[in-house]
Amino acid sequence: MEGDNVYIPHVMKIEKVIQETGNIKTFHFNFKDQSQKDKFTFKSGQFAEYSIFGEGEATFCVSSSPTRMDHLEFSVMKAGKVTAAIHELQEGDEIGFRGPYGNWFPLDLLQGKNLVFVGGGIGLAPLRSLIWNVIDNRDSYGDVIVLYGARSPADLSFKYDLEAWDKGDAIDMYTTVDRGDDAWTGRVGLIPPVLEEIGPSAQDTVAITCGPPIMIKFTLQSLAKLGFTPEQIVTTLEMKMKCGIGKCGRCNIGNIYVCKDGPVFTYAQIQNFLSDEF
Ligand SMILES: Cc1cc2nc3c(=O)[nH]c(=O)nc-3n(C[C@H](O)[C@H](O)[C@H](O)COP(=O)(O)OP(=O)(O)OC[C@H]3O[C@@H](n4cnc5c(N)ncnc54)[C@H](O)[C@@H]3O)c2cc1C
Ligand code: FES
């Protein structure tokens, strides 16, 4: 952060814009000031507050991996005022960035384990940071499965990652869509039943999942059927945030602050807080 004021954002320059789907874009960005870049570190799973002058701030994870620091990436689904303004950004434009905030995926829990990643839609954004991190430290983990799903082929994000993971031998990649189209020759089916069909063993395995609440709800049930305990399941929570640093009380669920205690939790940590939706 510049000076002592944690609310002052870094100035970042957009280097590349990728249209992922009709309403999701990924932005490659970099520090305008090289000396700030040299000092910056983050961990997979952390988020930041991104600001557009005159529009406001919004919360997004850093979707690139800390093992690849040439540039940073974030991916944005259009939801309202700030995300619509971010979708207007072009290469060369500047944005504000403060962070990284929050906790991160527990690499100490994951080391030496088999990993099962289950992502839906834009939920692959935080997972891909960890997946690339795992690939770049491949010897530290057992078998790695990635299951990613979206509503239709046109809704699949990060197709370049899916292709790279499918081609490589570091992970077993499964992609599914709820509904195919004329050109789609891949798997069709909702994520939870496809996960049960793949049937990963829960022995020495941790599942990491992120996606829309309805997907998480049924994925948790499928993981339980496969023998995963709540301690073996890691997920991320989203609550509307303001300060991002545990000061404003905007993001609490019960007595946990999602911005400070999360956004990454084991299911064991949060199962008692979650609403019936889960
Ligand atoms: C830790 C964290 C990480 C996130 N990472 C990403 C990411 O990588 N990519 C991404 O696209 N989005 C991410 N989000 C969600 C993102 O912050 C919101 O979509 C964004 O703030 C909406 O801003 P807006 O001004 O465009 O929408 P607004 O105009 O503020 O709101 C539009 C609609 O979305 C609802 N809404 C806004 N924020 C949230 C929220 N956090 N949860 C549920 N409903 C919300 C509002 O109630 C309203 O109905 C993340 C959220 C959190 C808390
Ligand atoms: S966003 Fe302010 S306390 Fe969490």
Side-chain angles (χ1 to χ4, degrees):
M1 285 287 105
E2 282 178 359
D4 292 323
N5 187 339
V6 291
Y7 292 107
I8 295 180
H10 296 296
V11 179
M12 311 296 264
K13 208 168 196 120
I14 300 293
E15 292 184 338
K16 186 174 173 183
V17 183
I18 300 170
Q19 183 88 45
E20 301 281 1
T21 69
N23 65 351
I24 297 175
K25 285 186 177 180
T26 292
F27 300 87
H28 292 198
F29 65 107
N30 233 320
F31 289 82
K32 205 173 167 196
D33 178 344
Q34 179 66 36
S35 67
Q36 289 180 346
K37 179 175 180 173
D38 294 342
K39 283 186 281 185
F40 182 79
T41 59
F42 77 101
K43 296 196 168 102
S44 294
Q46 287 193 291
F47 66 90
E49 293 294 328
Y50 299 72
S51 51
I52 301 274
F53 191 68
E55 299 290 346
E57 265 191 331
T59 313
F60 310 102
C61 69
V62 181
S63 68
S64 49
S65 169
T67 53
R68 300 174 180 215
M69 289 298 279
D70 171 57
H71 63 269
L72 300 170
E73 297 177 23
F74 72 116
S75 303
V76 178
M77 185 164 81
K78 221 191 246 189
K81 186 169 178 254
V82 178
T83 50
I86 289 174
H87 269 239
E88 297 299 316
L89 291 171
Q90 309 284 331
E91 204 179 302
D93 287 345
E94 290 179 0
I95 54 163
F97 171 93
R98 58 184 182 92
Y101 297 140
N103 69 351
W104 47 86
F105 291 112
L107 290 181
D108 48 342
L109 174 74
L110 309 183
Q111 293 261 337
K113 298 280 195 326
N114 302 315
L115 305 179
V116 177
F117 291 93
V118 186
I122 185 80
L124 192 57
L127 298 185
R128 74 189 280 267
S129 172
L130 182 58
I131 293 168
W132 282 116
N133 196 333
V134 165
I135 289 173
D136 290 341
N137 295 282
R138 189 64 190 85
D139 292 347
S140 303
Y141 305 93
D143 296 337
V144 181
I145 290 174
V146 175
L147 168 58
Y148 175 60
R151 274 177 301 189
S152 73
D155 293 310
L156 291 167
S157 289
F158 311 111
K159 293 192 184 76
Y160 41 93
D161 284 346
L162 306 180
E163 207 181 305
W165 299 336
D166 199 28
K167 273 196 194 138
D169 52 11
I171 57 181
D172 284 333
M173 179 71 215
Y174 299 87
T175 304
T176 186
V177 293
D178 300 354
R179 290 181 313 278
D181 59 22
D182 292 345
W184 180 252
T185 55
R187 196 175 276 98
V188 176
L190 297 173
I191 290 171
V194 172
L195 175 63
E196 290 179 39
E197 200 183 303
I198 298 166
S201 162
Q203 181 83 36
D204 289 328
T205 306
V206 178
I208 307 109
T209 184
C210 187
I214 188 76
M215 180 217 107
I216 300 282
K217 173 181 174 172
F218 289 106
T219 296
L220 290 172
Q221 292 175 10
S222 297
L223 288 168
K225 276 192 214 167
L226 291 165
F228 285 79
T229 64
E231 289 77 17
Q232 286 173 279
I233 302 171
V234 175
T235 189
T236 65
L237 285 185
E238 269 193 22
M239 284 296 286
K240 185 93 176 147
M241 290 182 184
K242 197 83 184 161
C243 71
I245 53 174
K247 303 273 187 214
C248 73
R250 182 77 179 266
C251 67
N252 72 303
I253 309 177
N255 60 4
I256 60 168
Y257 281 14
V258 174
C259 70
K260 193 162 61 74
D261 304 318
V264 177
F265 297 93
T266 63
Y267 184 43
Q269 288 173 307
I270 54 172
Q271 57 182 342
N272 295 333
F273 289 105
L274 296 182
S275 64
D276 292 343
E277 206 177 357
F278 282 79

mmCIF file of all heavy atoms in Angstrom, residues 241-251 257 259, ligand 2:
data_model
loop_
_atom_site.group_PDB
_atom_site.id
_atom_site.type_symbol
_atom_site.label_atom_id
_atom_site.label_comp_id
_atom_site.label_asym_id
_atom_site.label_seq_id
_atom_site.Cartn_x
_atom_site.Cartn_y
_atom_site.Cartn_z
ATOM 1 N N MET A 241 -19.047 -6.658 0.085
ATOM 2 C CA MET A 241 -18.022 -6.069 0.948
ATOM 3 C C MET A 241 -17.898 -4.567 0.728
ATOM 4 O O MET A 241 -18.303 -4.050 -0.315
ATOM 5 C CB MET A 241 -16.674 -6.720 0.664
ATOM 6 C CG MET A 241 -16.634 -8.145 1.146
ATOM 7 S SD MET A 241 -15.052 -8.877 0.849
ATOM 8 C CE MET A 241 -15.390 -10.548 1.422
ATOM 9 N N LYS A 242 -17.316 -3.904 1.685
ATOM 10 C CA LYS A 242 -17.078 -2.465 1.547
ATOM 11 C C LYS A 242 -15.590 -2.184 1.800
ATOM 12 O O LYS A 242 -14.872 -1.823 0.887
ATOM 13 C CB LYS A 242 -17.959 -1.721 2.564
ATOM 14 C CG LYS A 242 -18.115 -0.270 2.284
ATOM 15 C CD LYS A 242 -19.209 -0.040 1.265
ATOM 16 C CE LYS A 242 -19.294 1.432 0.902
ATOM 17 N NZ LYS A 242 -19.998 1.610 -0.374
ATOM 18 N N CYS A 243 -15.154 -2.372 3.059
ATOM 19 C CA CYS A 243 -13.758 -2.016 3.367
ATOM 20 C C CYS A 243 -12.785 -3.118 2.943
ATOM 21 O O CYS A 243 -11.662 -2.843 2.530
ATOM 22 C CB CYS A 243 -13.599 -1.715 4.855
ATOM 23 S SG CYS A 243 -13.713 -3.162 5.926
ATOM 24 N N GLY A 244 -13.199 -4.373 3.083
ATOM 25 C CA GLY A 244 -12.340 -5.503 2.716
ATOM 26 C C GLY A 244 -11.319 -5.866 3.776
ATOM 27 O O GLY A 244 -10.558 -6.814 3.600
ATOM 28 N N ILE A 245 -11.303 -5.115 4.883
ATOM 29 C CA ILE A 245 -10.233 -5.336 5.868
ATOM 30 C C ILE A 245 -10.748 -5.441 7.312
ATOM 31 O O ILE A 245 -10.042 -5.118 8.256
ATOM 32 C CB ILE A 245 -9.165 -4.215 5.779
ATOM 33 C CG1 ILE A 245 -9.832 -2.830 5.873
ATOM 34 C CG2 ILE A 245 -8.345 -4.353 4.510
ATOM 35 C CD1 ILE A 245 -8.852 -1.674 5.945
ATOM 36 N N GLY A 246 -12.007 -5.869 7.465
ATOM 37 C CA GLY A 246 -12.499 -6.143 8.820
ATOM 38 C C GLY A 246 -12.881 -4.931 9.641
ATOM 39 O O GLY A 246 -12.972 -5.014 10.863
ATOM 40 N N LYS A 247 -13.124 -3.774 8.997
ATOM 41 C CA LYS A 247 -13.417 -2.544 9.757
ATOM 42 C C LYS A 247 -14.901 -2.156 9.736
ATOM 43 O O LYS A 247 -15.390 -1.588 10.703
ATOM 44 C CB LYS A 247 -12.634 -1.351 9.172
ATOM 45 C CG LYS A 247 -11.144 -1.534 9.117
ATOM 46 C CD LYS A 247 -10.489 -1.112 10.403
ATOM 47 C CE LYS A 247 -8.980 -1.155 10.257
ATOM 48 N NZ LYS A 247 -8.330 -1.534 11.498
ATOM 49 N N CYS A 248 -15.607 -2.414 8.639
ATOM 50 C CA CYS A 248 -16.932 -1.809 8.475
ATOM 51 C C CYS A 248 -18.081 -2.708 8.923
ATOM 52 O O CYS A 248 -19.205 -2.226 9.079
ATOM 53 C CB CYS A 248 -17.134 -1.388 7.021
ATOM 54 S SG CYS A 248 -17.388 -2.772 5.879
ATOM 55 N N GLY A 249 -17.832 -3.976 9.114
ATOM 56 C CA GLY A 249 -18.882 -4.884 9.581
ATOM 57 C C GLY A 249 -19.909 -5.232 8.522
ATOM 58 O O GLY A 249 -20.979 -5.744 8.815
ATOM 59 N N ARG A 250 -19.590 -4.986 7.258
ATOM 60 C CA ARG A 250 -20.551 -5.191 6.178
ATOM 61 C C ARG A 250 -20.716 -6.670 5.797
ATOM 62 O O ARG A 250 -21.773 -7.092 5.344
ATOM 63 C CB ARG A 250 -20.056 -4.386 4.964
ATOM 64 C CG ARG A 250 -20.917 -4.402 3.732
ATOM 65 C CD ARG A 250 -22.126 -3.489 3.906
ATOM 66 N NE ARG A 250 -22.953 -3.487 2.713
ATOM 67 C CZ ARG A 250 -22.842 -2.587 1.750
ATOM 68 N NH1 ARG A 250 -21.943 -1.641 1.838
ATOM 69 N NH2 ARG A 250 -23.639 -2.634 0.700
ATOM 70 N N CYS A 251 -19.659 -7.439 6.000
ATOM 71 C CA CYS A 251 -19.619 -8.759 5.358
ATOM 72 C C CYS A 251 -19.793 -9.929 6.329
ATOM 73 O O CYS A 251 -19.456 -11.048 5.989
ATOM 74 C CB CYS A 251 -18.272 -8.933 4.665
ATOM 75 S SG CYS A 251 -16.925 -9.017 5.858
ATOM 76 N N TYR A 257 -16.210 -12.644 9.816
ATOM 77 C CA TYR A 257 -16.119 -11.617 8.781
ATOM 78 C C TYR A 257 -15.538 -12.299 7.546
ATOM 79 O O TYR A 257 -14.400 -12.769 7.587
ATOM 80 C CB TYR A 257 -15.188 -10.490 9.234
ATOM 81 C CG TYR A 257 -15.804 -9.508 10.203
ATOM 82 C CD1 TYR A 257 -16.997 -9.802 10.846
ATOM 83 C CD2 TYR A 257 -15.202 -8.295 10.459
ATOM 84 C CE1 TYR A 257 -17.566 -8.903 11.730
ATOM 85 C CE2 TYR A 257 -15.759 -7.382 11.346
ATOM 86 C CZ TYR A 257 -16.947 -7.697 11.981
ATOM 87 O OH TYR A 257 -17.505 -6.807 12.842
ATOM 88 N N CYS A 259 -14.439 -11.080 4.879
ATOM 89 C CA CYS A 259 -13.257 -10.416 4.305
ATOM 90 C C CYS A 259 -11.977 -10.738 5.074
ATOM 91 O O CYS A 259 -10.898 -10.732 4.499
ATOM 92 C CB CYS A 259 -13.454 -8.912 4.247
ATOM 93 S SG CYS A 259 -13.440 -8.094 5.841
HETATM 94 S S1 FES B 2 -15.968 -5.737 4.231
HETATM 95 FE FE1 FES B 2 -15.741 -4.396 5.943
HETATM 96 S S2 FES B 2 -15.681 -5.767 7.604
HETATM 97 FE FE2 FES B 2 -15.658 -7.089 5.894
#
